[in-house]
Amino acid sequence: MMAGVKHRQASGLRPTVVSAGRGVLRRMTHAVVFPAVEACNAGLFRMAGLLLRMRPVRLVPSGSDRVLVLAPHPDDETLGCGGTICRHVISGDQVCIVIVTDGGKSRAGGLNRETMIEMRREEARDAMSALLDSTSNALGTHGAGGLRLVQLGLPEGEWNEQELAQHLGKLLEEFRPTIVYSTLRVDFHPEHLRVAAGFAKALSSSAGTYVERVRAYELQVPLTPMLANLISPVETTQQCKQEALAAYRTQSGSFLWVPRHNRYLRALYRSEGALELFWEMGPRQFVALHANEGIAVVHNFRSIRLRPFTDLAAWMVGIGKRRALRRLVDRNASP
Ligand SMILES: [Zn+2]
């Protein structure tokens, strides 16, 4: 009888001890292992920066440009070029942000599709207000340039390039942008790839006549020094970017990679302040880059994931492919 009681006590204790042990291990991993791996990666990026000594052109907004920013999902515009958007507005440029999809496929927080769409729409508006407020504060008055938000609301996962090309064709005719920020085919996300392809289609029509430069921005797949040729120091607008990012409340759990990415860029380009990188090219080059059929289903690249263990792989996987794409763009340079 006594032995039976002891046995029950021991088996009741074991799960508690095991789960407490797991908790300690998890906290240790977060407090020690992840930061150690990240510091190690940052050290390697610093060494690579010293060896490569890259000097990409520094982005300086003109104050007289019309700037269109294409974001596949609500948050991509802020993640990819939020600090640079603020710089454009402060300089006096007119900026129009176009968010293509409704972001309804996200299941963050267990929200259903309708609620998610509604919340992300609201979050995008809040993020734009945060960008505008911050630029107003920087100027001590209202922003010098304008910032306009267009949410196309295409149902995520259920739209095609042709549909987007038609929407963008109208927008290009109406807004007449001189600079366009876009995703590109160096990505892993099908919707990011499809936006790039749809934009290339619109750009190849007469609607793209006014576009002088296309700047491809990076999200979770790094451009790497192989492709990045334009650097935007965003130290002075980093706060503005962070406030806009904080507006995307439903997505906050998916931003764990962002601080590490920022740290690696600072190490690689030996910069004290935050940076955003772009691959700038002419419209003809962007069209040529996306001319091949079937790019939306090709996954050649690796993303920076939530944990730091495979961060370096995001820069290494697909080097040959990046080289081939750069050659393709170089071949299509204007004479
Ligand atoms: Zn996205």
Side-chain angles (χ1 to χ4, degrees):
M1 188 69 181
M2 283 301 287
V5 170
K6 270 185 192 166
H7 176 72
R8 276 200 299 278
Q9 280 173 343
S11 62
L13 258 177
R14 209 175 298 132
T16 319
V17 171
V18 170
S19 80
R22 280 198 189 130
V24 170
L25 202 63
R26 199 177 306 122
R27 280 196 293 278
M28 283 270 292
T29 310
H30 280 268
V32 181
V33 180
F34 290 164
V37 173
E38 182 184 330
C40 203
N41 289 341
L44 290 171
F45 277 106
R46 204 167 297 116
M47 273 169 54
L50 284 170
L51 288 172
L52 295 171
R53 297 193 167 273
M54 292 138 329
R55 292 190 185 279
V57 175
R58 286 169 88 86
L59 186 152
V60 181
S62 71
S64 58
D65 274 303
R66 301 174 67 78
V67 179
L68 186 74
V69 180
L70 294 178
H73 305 107
D75 71 11
D76 287 330
E77 77 299 331
T78 304
L79 286 166
C81 47
T84 305
I85 291 171
C86 289
R87 292 188 64 205
H88 278 294
V89 176
I90 290 170
S91 79
D93 290 335
Q94 297 294 318
V95 180
C96 175
I97 297 173
V98 179
I99 298 178
V100 174
T101 72
D102 59 15
K105 271 184 103 177
S106 167
R107 292 281 77 89
L111 298 173
N112 65 37
R113 186 169 182 129
E114 288 70 33
T115 312
M116 180 59 77
I117 291 170
E118 203 176 305
M119 288 193 69
R120 294 192 78 173
R121 184 165 273 272
E122 182 77 35
E123 288 172 353
R125 284 196 287 262
D126 290 348
M128 290 316 103
S129 300
L131 290 181
L132 257 186
D133 283 353
S134 312
T135 51
S136 302
N137 291 343
L139 291 160
T141 171
H142 290 294
L147 183 61
R148 172 182 160 201
L149 173 66
V150 176
Q151 302 205 59
L152 294 181
L154 300 185
E156 186 177 6
E158 297 162 24
W159 57 279
N160 60 49
E161 291 159 30
Q162 195 52 44
E163 209 178 339
L164 175 64
Q166 281 172 4
H167 282 289
L168 291 184
K170 280 186 211 143
L171 268 162
L172 291 173
E173 297 268 17
E174 184 212 325
F175 186 62
R176 299 187 174 186
T178 47
I179 298 171
V180 181
Y181 288 85
S182 170
T183 51
L184 83 162
R185 62 181 298 172
V186 180
D187 209 308
F188 74 103
H189 197 301
E191 304 255 307
H192 298 179
L193 296 167
R194 212 175 298 137
V195 165
F199 170 51
K201 255 194 180 78
L203 200 53
S204 61
S205 72
S206 58
T209 311
Y210 299 94
V211 178
E212 292 165 13
R213 311 298 298 160
V214 178
R215 291 172 184 166
Y217 59 84
E218 57 180 4
L219 290 164
Q220 273 175 272
V221 176
L223 287 169
T224 77
M226 178 77 73
L227 303 180
N229 59 5
L230 185 67
I231 198 165
S232 177
V234 291
E235 191 179 354
T236 54
T237 53
Q238 183 66 358
Q239 182 65 24
C240 130
K241 177 173 178 168
Q242 268 159 5
E243 281 166 21
L245 211 53
Y248 288 109
R249 295 169 291 278
T250 60
Q251 304 303 305
S252 58
S254 62
F255 297 154
L256 292 178
W257 59 277
V258 175
R260 299 203 311 277
H261 180 233
N262 289 340
R263 182 175 179 181
Y264 299 155
L265 288 190
R266 289 199 310 273
L268 193 54
Y269 290 91
R270 294 167 294 139
S271 165
E272 291 291 317
L275 302 168
E276 286 172 352
L277 287 187
F278 304 101
W279 186 10
E280 185 182 68
M281 63 190 84
R284 203 167 76 99
Q285 291 168 306
F286 190 85
V287 171
L289 190 61
H290 295 87
N292 322 33
E293 291 300 320
I295 64 159
V297 293
V298 178
H299 297 259
N300 295 299
F301 304 99
R302 191 183 168 91
S303 64
I304 312 166
R305 305 203 171 157
L306 293 184
R307 305 297 179 213
F309 298 110
T310 59
D311 284 352
L312 295 178
W315 269 263
M316 304 303 290
V317 172
I319 284 186
K321 184 77 187 168
R322 284 181 179 86
R323 189 179 294 119
L325 293 176
R326 197 181 69 180
R327 278 200 214 107
L328 176 63
V329 163
D330 290 346
R331 272 203 306 276
N332 283 277
S334 300

